[in-house]
Amino acid sequence: MTAPVPLPGGPYTPRATPLDLTPGAGAPSSRTVFSAAHVVADPYADIGPDDPAAVDWESTLAFRRHLWAHGLGVAEAMDTAQRGMGLDWAGAAELIRRSAAEAKAVGGRIACGVGTDQLPEGPAPTLAEVTAAYEVQLALAEEHGVQPILMASRALVRAARGPEDYLATYAHLLRQASEPVILHWLGPMFDPALEGYWGSTDLDEATDTFLKVIAEHPDKVDGIKISLLDAAREIDVRRRLPGGVRCYTGDDFNYPELIAGDERGFSHALLGIFDPLGPLAAHAVRVLDTGDVAGFRALLDPTVELSRHLFQRPTRFYKTGVVFLAWLAGHQDHFTMVGGLQSARSLPHLATAYELADGLGLFPDPDLAAHRMRALLAVHGGAR
């Protein structure tokens, strides 16, 4: 039996055995499920705060192979990969190239974020500059045979004068796309610079504009990902989508009920929380494939407490908890993040994340997780 870990809230006795979630069971069939995936930093790179991110490519790609092995799709170069929070466009472009090649090699499903983050911060760009930036990234995704995810753009917020500019920009991009894309509405809780997306801070007005984009180009929209942490709004939007357009939940607070759905439909999934929950989430959806909604909920409902903890305000720093859990689970050898983001959450926050994740049986080797947790406590002077 593993000795108690001296957490800030008191000694914690780790779980003796993990969940038995071996890979190779195949992809879920009733829902399309993507995990947004984090990047692994190179802890030995001699770089400063203003230098481009240094990525440990082998560990980063190994984690994607882990997700594919459990039947999940990978949503690449999204905010979970620290786009705009440590990973610049050059790094994201290299990530897309490498992950696309890896997906092809192993037969994994992949979709990649397409945005405008090569544009400099500062004065507002023109709409033409925003459109051109999107086009460059869209061309890269299509060149490497990955499904594009049109991400919300900070630059478009600065350039647009109202809803009509969003409608015109997205119409142009969708006409150019060679295959149907996923549209991503990322709320300001994930990125404050996206406040007022779709031309209004009134969410009802913004929703109408968003739906108008889709209604005018349904053949070019595979689906939408909504990351507003608002289950009622997602359900409303889901019910208003044209036939054949999927809703991918991005709600890391309410995902079990949204994936389970109701008599009028359900959501697929594209979630950052499925980075640490990957094997369990895939297993739960395969249970749902059999029609066993209660079994699905029994598996996934208990994970919500962990997810809400990781995504607590400031929500954009959830990546720290995600990478922390990947380290404890043995997917990487260190707890270092690009941009130094490992410092974005407190020791008590991380300790609670460890306790919740261990209680769920998420760590393949509970002894290793406990050892690493003790090491972190010791570094912070908290071991006793």
Side-chain angles (χ1 to χ4, degrees), residues 13 36 62 97 114 138 197 205 217 258 295-296 312 315 333 342 358 365:
T13 300
R97 293 185 191 99
V114 167
L138 180 61
Y197 211 75
E205 293 179 5
H217 308 276
L258 292 165
F296 164 79
Q312 69 182 225
T315 302
D333 294 331
Q342 68 272 9
D358 183 73
D365 185 343

Side-chain angles (χ1 to χ4, degrees), residues 127 130-131 134 156 164-174:
L127 285 175
V130 171
T131 302
Y134 264 126
L156 183 53
E164 66 283 350
D165 287 339
Y166 287 86
L167 291 169
T169 300
Y170 277 87
H172 178 86
L173 294 169
L174 290 172

Side-chain angles (χ1 to χ4, degrees), residues 101-121:
E102 199 72 18
K104 185 176 181 180
V106 304
R109 182 164 187 163
I110 187 170
C112 293
V114 167
T116 63
D117 45 331
Q118 70 268 51
L119 294 174
E121 300 289 341

Side-chain angles (χ1 to χ4, degrees), residues 232-249:
R233 184 165 297 277
E234 178 174 322
I235 292 169
D236 173 67
V237 172
R238 187 173 77 195
R239 291 174 176 173
R240 296 165 65 186
L241 291 174
V245 176
R246 297 183 176 100
C247 178
Y248 294 93
T249 186

Side-chain angles (χ1 to χ4, degrees), residues 178-199:
S178 60
E179 300 290 340
V181 308
I182 298 173
L183 298 182
H184 187 192
W185 183 0
L186 190 68
M189 67 289 293
F190 288 94
D191 186 344
L194 298 176
E195 182 73 42
Y197 211 75
W198 304 111

Side-chain angles (χ1 to χ4, degrees), residues 2 43 60-61 70 94 109 114 138 141 171 210 264 285 304 339 374:
T2 303
T60 293
L61 294 175
H70 283 277
E94 184 64 15
R109 182 164 187 163
V114 167
L138 180 61
F210 181 49
R264 296 178 60 184
V285 180
V304 172
R374 289 192 193 95

